[in-house]
Amino acid sequence: MGKLGLVNDMVSDTQVGRLGLIDDISPSEKLPSRSLFGDVATAIPRGVANAFETYGRAARTFDPEGGTDIVRNIGTGLVDTTERVRKYLPSIFEQSQEQQRGGLRSAVPVGAESSVQSLLTGAPGLAAGALSGLGIGSIPLAIAGYATSGATLFGAAEYDKFMEEAKGAINSRKDLNDTEKTVLIEKAKPYALKSGLVEGVFELGSDLLEGLTMKIGKPFTQLAKGTVKDLLTTTPKKVLLNMAKVAVVETPTEMTQTYLETGLRQKAGIDTGETPGQAAAGAVLPTLVSSVIFSGVGSVANRHYKKKIEHAL
């Protein structure tokens, strides 16, 4: 259910198998223990894995069953590979005991993980957009490429993930025969499509904002009119203002997206484990952290170019 929904908070079979003989250990104690720095550091490979899974799921949506199956098989390979990596490296890919406590202790690494995933899924469009234009044209093209790339991939991946969850929930029901299961799976497709559209539309708006805040494309246009002045006049106050702007838009956007997608899952018969309202509330802190990260990355990039220009003057 969005970038935040890909966070794997379940104890893997490997971890349970290794510690399952000790009956007096609670599930949370079987998880790895990390410092906050350790959780943030391991959020990077988790974000990378989530991005590859997103690519794989999107590929399966673009090449549905009964098609050529060439792209679909590649996508399935990516999804299966990320699952195997998560399974065999629980010390990295499982949430820590400390992260299970919730609050900011959980939100910070989840937000970092989400940011890495978002950047990687928008990278192909960013590169294509930036390199396709010259001069000032590179900025809007880069931002548009970044946003549409992420929106397309996340929307398509959400459809695949939704249908996988729906099939799992329906096929596990013992009160249905095969024909009834097939009918219910078909009925779940419109909900999956709506969820994919929600994901794609909200992701498009979110990525456009991130691209504008980070001033994506600036390396290609730093000598364009106004750019030098903007960089030289960047102040801490402007940085904080940027963070506030992103947070104000990103937070309700992610909350609404999570609320709608959770509701659609419940309509399709998927056990979400929480109400749409609870899911939306749970997205607040990680989204705020992610907003700060994106604003911070943009500010660091601008300060880098500012110093280069100052040395050249």
Side-chain angles (χ1 to χ4, degrees):
M1 293 175 284
K3 290 172 283 190
L4 301 178
L6 284 176
V7 177
N8 184 7
D9 59 358
M10 301 298 290
V11 180
S12 73
D13 293 337
T14 303
Q15 192 79 352
V16 172
R18 186 167 63 248
L19 299 171
L21 294 176
I22 307 176
D23 296 330
D24 59 346
I25 296 181
S26 66
S28 63
E29 291 176 318
K30 296 175 184 178
L31 296 172
S33 178
R34 300 190 202 98
S35 64
L36 178 59
F37 177 80
D39 273 333
V40 173
T42 55
I44 297 174
R46 289 198 300 271
V48 172
N50 289 346
F52 276 104
E53 180 183 352
T54 300
Y55 278 109
R57 290 189 178 280
R60 296 200 300 201
T61 298
F62 295 139
D63 185 7
E65 291 177 302
T68 63
D69 286 337
I70 297 174
V71 176
R72 183 174 187 80
N73 289 339
I74 294 174
T76 298
L78 282 174
V79 174
D80 290 346
T81 298
T82 55
E83 285 302 317
R84 284 196 295 269
V85 170
R86 289 179 182 132
K87 180 178 180 180
Y88 291 111
L89 292 174
S91 60
I92 294 176
F93 289 96
E94 285 182 354
Q95 288 191 356
S96 66
Q97 297 176 32
E98 293 77 12
Q99 196 173 339
Q100 290 286 317
R101 298 170 187 166
L104 278 174
R105 189 61 182 77
S106 174
V108 172
V110 171
E113 182 178 336
S114 172
S115 299
V116 172
Q117 180 187 2
S118 186
L119 284 170
L120 290 178
T121 50
L126 165 62
L131 295 175
S132 65
L134 296 174
I136 197 166
S138 293
I139 290 181
L141 286 172
I143 293 173
Y146 173 78
T148 53
S149 175
T152 301
L153 287 170
F154 274 113
E158 167 62 13
Y159 177 86
D160 180 82
K161 186 173 178 61
F162 190 109
M163 286 307 302
E164 182 177 86
E165 293 174 7
K167 289 176 182 177
I170 294 169
N171 287 329
S172 65
R173 291 181 56 179
K174 297 180 180 180
D175 60 320
L176 301 174
N177 59 42
D178 290 343
T179 301
E180 291 171 327
K181 289 179 180 178
T182 301
V183 171
L184 286 180
I185 289 173
E186 286 299 314
K187 287 184 177 181
K189 288 182 178 179
Y191 294 115
L193 180 60
K194 289 178 183 178
S195 192
L197 288 173
V198 167
E199 181 76 25
V201 170
F202 278 90
E203 187 67 26
L204 177 62
S206 174
D207 286 352
L208 282 172
L209 178 64
E210 289 169 357
L212 288 168
T213 302
M214 292 174 65
K215 291 181 171 56
I216 287 176
K218 189 145 289 188
F220 303 90
T221 59
Q222 56 180 305
L223 297 179
K225 184 179 179 180
T227 301
V228 173
K229 180 181 177 182
D230 289 342
L231 287 173
L232 293 178
T233 57
T234 299
T235 64
K237 183 178 179 181
K238 286 186 177 181
V239 172
L240 292 174
L241 184 60
N242 262 349
M243 289 182 178
K245 286 179 180 178
V246 175
V248 165
V249 177
E250 277 273 320
T251 304
T253 297
E254 188 68 36
M255 288 180 69
T256 304
Q257 177 183 327
T258 304
Y259 181 93
L260 293 174
E261 291 176 9
T262 303
L264 287 167
R265 275 171 166 75
Q266 291 181 344
K267 289 181 180 180
I270 300 171
D271 182 11
T272 60
E274 56 187 354
T275 66
Q278 290 172 330
V284 174
L285 288 178
T287 303
L288 287 173
V289 172
S290 180
S291 299
V292 170
I293 290 173
F294 273 105
S295 301
V297 170
S299 300
V300 169
N302 287 343
R303 288 177 66 85
H304 170 71
Y305 292 116
K306 175 180 176 181
K307 289 180 180 178
K308 288 182 66 175
I309 292 170
E310 287 174 338
H311 286 316
L313 293 177

